[in-house]
Amino acid sequence: MLFRNRFLLLLALAALLAFVSLSLQFFHLIPVSAAKNGVSSKSRKRILPDPATEPPVTDPIYEALLYCNIPSVAEHSMEGHAPHHFKLVSVHVFIRHGDRYPLYVIPKTKRPEIDCTLVANRKPYHPKLEAFVNHMSKGSGASFESPLNSLPLYPNHPLCEMGELTQTGVVQHLQNGQLLRDIYLKKHKLLPTDWSADQLYLETTGKSRTLQSGLALLYGFLPDFDWKKIYFRHQPSALFCSGSCYCPVRNQYLEKEQRRQYLLRLKNNQLEKTYGEMAKIVDIPTKQLRAANPIDSMLCHFCHNVSFPCTRNGCVDMEHFKVIKTHQIEDEKERREKKLYLGYSLLGAHPILNQTISRMQRATEGRKEELFALYSAHDVTLSPVLSALGLSEARFPRFAARLIFELWQDREKPSEHSVRILYNGVDVTFHTSFCQDHHKRSPKPMCPLENLVHFVKRDMFVALGGSSTNYYDACHREGF
């Protein structure tokens, strides 16, 4: 009898605990993980919207988390996927620099306290981080094109300088490099073990964050590389237009695009109200606050989980952040619809795309130079290239975004070469404007190189309208 009573008592207690636990979860007093297969929902990385898995309405916090690209679990990527009878010939990688400190500060507020030294036992962690720092410390005699040789090879300030690469940014690109190493070197043997300097092509703008991002990716790709084989070229323009930067019509498209942005902002009463509230908090005119581009600093606070700034008048808060981020998303949507940015992009991206296909064509002739090309760049580099390729639905380049062109040879038909285009590990080849319908006519999971060549040499100018058939004429077209 005593045993039976104890059993009933324990049964009742278990039922009570179960009820309390469910109640607490229902009222969100106990956090419930949305993880599936050990991967948090925050770690999902997509290039094109997926209605089956993404929020049914625009969620600025979700979009901001994707933009931060916080290093977490190893991502699955589609780089290097091809039928067994295809041989990888060359790879061309465009990256945005990794996570950085803001370029602007919100006036009259304290700068976010982010440490830009590299510490192996601090999150985010990478097993090669300490070795990377040691290797960079040996690179003082590296031969880079001026003015790159005057830049530090890795970030090293206890309080980040404006625009400086953070430890997060270094880890992002160590991960990128290691992923590409596993695919292109270990699996496809793109480079021989005794690779030479002329088999790499490395180019970066003159910012420390792009040079350091390129070096981090390169170290993940070629650990403990020989400094004597590494030569980074300097690119003065963020468009990587080299000697073809003068383009009046491109600048006219940009002016019209900036006018569109301005008019959209004027129509957004909620945005102006938010700017007004923030201006009162920091005690400056609204115009001055807007000019300080506060979203840049706020994204740093958000990505590094640092509280938004406060003054004696109050605090900038998450609601302010959500309003400004939502406007950014709406601006991107209207930008696609108005197509002014497309005109700018077609002319802005043409020089670098033309360089890329020229390098690919040389590789098809059997030349072994520049088999791996790396352009370490900015969001304003990748964004026009994505738009020009017809990837209008692609998300704005996140920190450490990567866009990759792969060149393949069909061993069964050695004269035939094909390309694949990948953005952040997702195969977007058949989303491009020059290869949208090819998969309907061919079983090959890639696009003929000729399609890309014809697009760059001819179709980019056709898309601009008018009668121009080359880059110079398109840039100097009258009556635009």
Side-chain angles (χ1 to χ4, degrees):
M1 186 73 178
L2 180 61
F3 176 79
R4 181 171 177 273
N5 289 341
R6 284 180 178 176
F7 176 76
L8 291 174
L9 180 62
L10 288 172
L11 192 63
L13 183 60
L16 178 62
L17 288 172
F19 174 77
V20 170
S21 176
L22 287 171
S23 300
L24 289 172
Q25 289 185 20
F26 179 80
F27 290 109
H28 304 289
L29 297 176
I30 292 178
V32 181
S33 172
K36 183 178 180 181
N37 297 329
V39 181
S40 165
S41 62
K42 291 183 179 180
S43 70
R44 292 179 298 177
K45 298 179 176 68
R46 296 196 180 275
I47 142 94
L48 302 173
D50 185 344
T53 60
E54 300 198 359
V57 295
T58 300
D59 182 348
I61 301 303
Y62 176 83
E63 296 296 328
L65 284 168
L66 293 178
Y67 177 84
C68 295
N69 190 21
I70 299 166
S72 54
V73 296
E75 63 179 291
H76 298 289
S77 71
M78 293 296 292
E79 281 100 345
H81 285 225
H84 66 89
H85 57 89
F86 277 80
K87 175 188 176 183
L88 183 64
V89 177
S90 67
V91 173
H92 310 261
V93 181
F94 302 77
I95 59 171
R96 184 191 177 187
H97 58 75
D99 176 80
R100 60 157 172 78
Y101 198 71
L103 299 172
Y104 308 89
V105 295
I106 299 175
K108 296 188 177 182
T109 64
K110 187 178 180 181
R111 286 173 53 187
E113 294 185 0
I114 309 295
D115 186 349
C116 273
T117 58
L118 302 182
V119 181
N121 60 0
R122 185 181 70 210
K123 291 184 178 181
Y125 167 77
H126 191 279
K128 292 189 184 299
L129 183 61
E130 188 172 5
F132 168 75
V133 174
N134 290 336
H135 197 65
M136 292 303 106
S137 66
K138 302 172 185 174
S140 57
S143 176
F144 296 160
E145 185 176 3
S146 180
L148 301 178
N149 47 18
S150 64
L151 297 177
L153 302 183
Y154 60 98
N156 192 29
H157 292 95
L159 177 59
C160 297
E161 295 187 341
M162 305 306 290
E164 186 172 10
L165 195 69
T166 66
Q167 176 161 321
T168 300
V170 171
V171 169
Q172 287 167 336
H173 278 303
L174 285 172
Q175 286 187 347
N176 275 342
Q178 188 169 358
L179 183 148
L180 300 186
R181 173 180 174 80
D182 290 343
I183 295 168
Y184 296 138
L185 297 187
K186 292 184 178 180
K187 181 179 179 181
H188 289 289
K189 316 296 183 186
L190 176 66
L191 299 176
T193 53
D194 59 343
W195 57 273
S196 59
D198 61 2
Q199 291 175 313
L200 303 182
Y201 181 86
L202 311 171
E203 190 169 355
T204 178
T205 60
K207 302 295 184 183
S208 63
R209 61 184 176 273
T210 52
L211 175 61
Q212 293 165 6
S213 292
L215 286 168
L217 185 145
L218 195 63
Y219 188 80
F221 187 62
L222 295 166
D224 299 320
F225 55 73
D226 183 348
W227 281 104
K228 294 177 183 177
K229 296 182 180 181
I230 303 301
Y231 183 76
F232 267 95
R233 293 163 176 81
H234 173 240
Q235 175 52 246
S237 168
L239 288 175
F240 282 68
C241 47
S242 300
S244 304
C245 292
Y246 182 64
C247 186
V249 172
R250 182 197 69 216
N251 295 340
Q252 292 174 40
Y253 272 116
L254 181 59
E255 289 170 4
K256 291 185 177 183
E257 164 63 14
Q258 290 170 339
R259 176 70 178 171
R260 179 203 63 75
Q261 293 176 6
Y262 171 73
L263 293 175
L264 180 66
R265 195 193 76 218
L266 288 183
K267 292 190 291 185
N268 192 332
N269 295 329
Q270 183 64 26
L271 179 67
E272 288 304 301
K273 179 184 175 183
T274 297
Y275 279 143
E277 291 175 358
M278 293 172 62
K280 287 181 180 178
I281 290 171
V282 298
D283 195 25
I284 61 173
T286 303
K287 185 177 181 180
Q288 183 182 347
L289 175 84
R290 194 187 304 116
N293 192 23
I295 190 63
D296 186 56
S297 181
M298 295 172 80
L299 276 167
C300 178
H301 285 83
F302 180 84
C303 294
H304 288 266
N305 198 26
V306 176
S307 298
F308 292 126
C310 293
T311 71
R312 61 185 181 184
N313 299 325
C315 294
V316 175
D317 61 31
M318 187 62 77
E319 291 306 310
H320 297 136
F321 176 78
K322 288 164 69 173
V323 168
I324 301 176
K325 186 61 185 172
T326 298
H327 176 76
Q328 278 192 330
I329 297 167
E330 292 170 351
D331 178 77
E332 289 175 26
K333 180 181 178 182
E334 188 186 79
R335 185 179 75 180
R336 292 192 292 267
E337 294 170 352
K338 298 291 185 181
K339 297 188 181 301
L340 292 169
Y341 188 76
L342 175 60
Y344 166 78
S345 299
L346 288 165
L347 292 170
H350 187 271
I352 195 170
L353 288 176
N354 196 44
Q355 291 174 36
T356 300
I357 63 167
S358 295
R359 196 166 283 118
M360 287 182 172
Q361 288 175 317
R362 290 196 294 271
T364 64
E365 297 167 359
R367 296 176 62 173
K368 298 300 182 182
E369 298 87 9
E370 301 176 352
L371 301 182
F372 181 82
L374 172 64
Y375 298 90
S376 189
H378 305 264
D379 52 1
V380 293
T381 313
L382 268 66
S383 185
V385 175
L386 291 167
S387 180
L389 293 174
L391 300 171
S392 59
E393 295 299 318
R395 281 191 167 91
F396 188 79
R398 68 192 189 190
F399 285 130
R402 65 182 189 273
L403 174 66
I404 296 181
F405 292 68
E406 296 176 348
L407 176 65
W408 296 83
Q409 180 186 41
D410 188 341
R411 287 192 178 97
E412 296 177 352
K413 299 178 181 178
S415 63
E416 293 187 5
H417 290 80
S418 301
V419 294
R420 295 176 74 232
I421 316 293
L422 301 107
Y423 185 45
N424 295 332
V426 178
D427 186 347
V428 295
T429 307
F430 297 123
H431 292 280
T432 61
S433 57
F434 60 87
C435 215
Q436 282 180 338
D437 299 323
H438 181 74
H439 65 290
K440 298 176 183 177
R441 304 188 302 271
S442 170
K444 292 182 180 179
M446 50 187 74
C447 191
L449 174 61
E450 291 76 15
N451 284 36
L452 176 58
V453 172
H454 290 161
F455 172 72
V456 175
K457 298 292 187 183
R458 180 192 63 198
D459 296 345
M460 290 181 78
F461 308 120
V462 172
L464 289 166
S467 57
S468 302
T469 57
N470 60 69
Y471 179 70
Y472 180 87
D473 289 347
C475 283
H476 297 82
R477 176 164 57 119
E478 301 237 341
F480 170 71

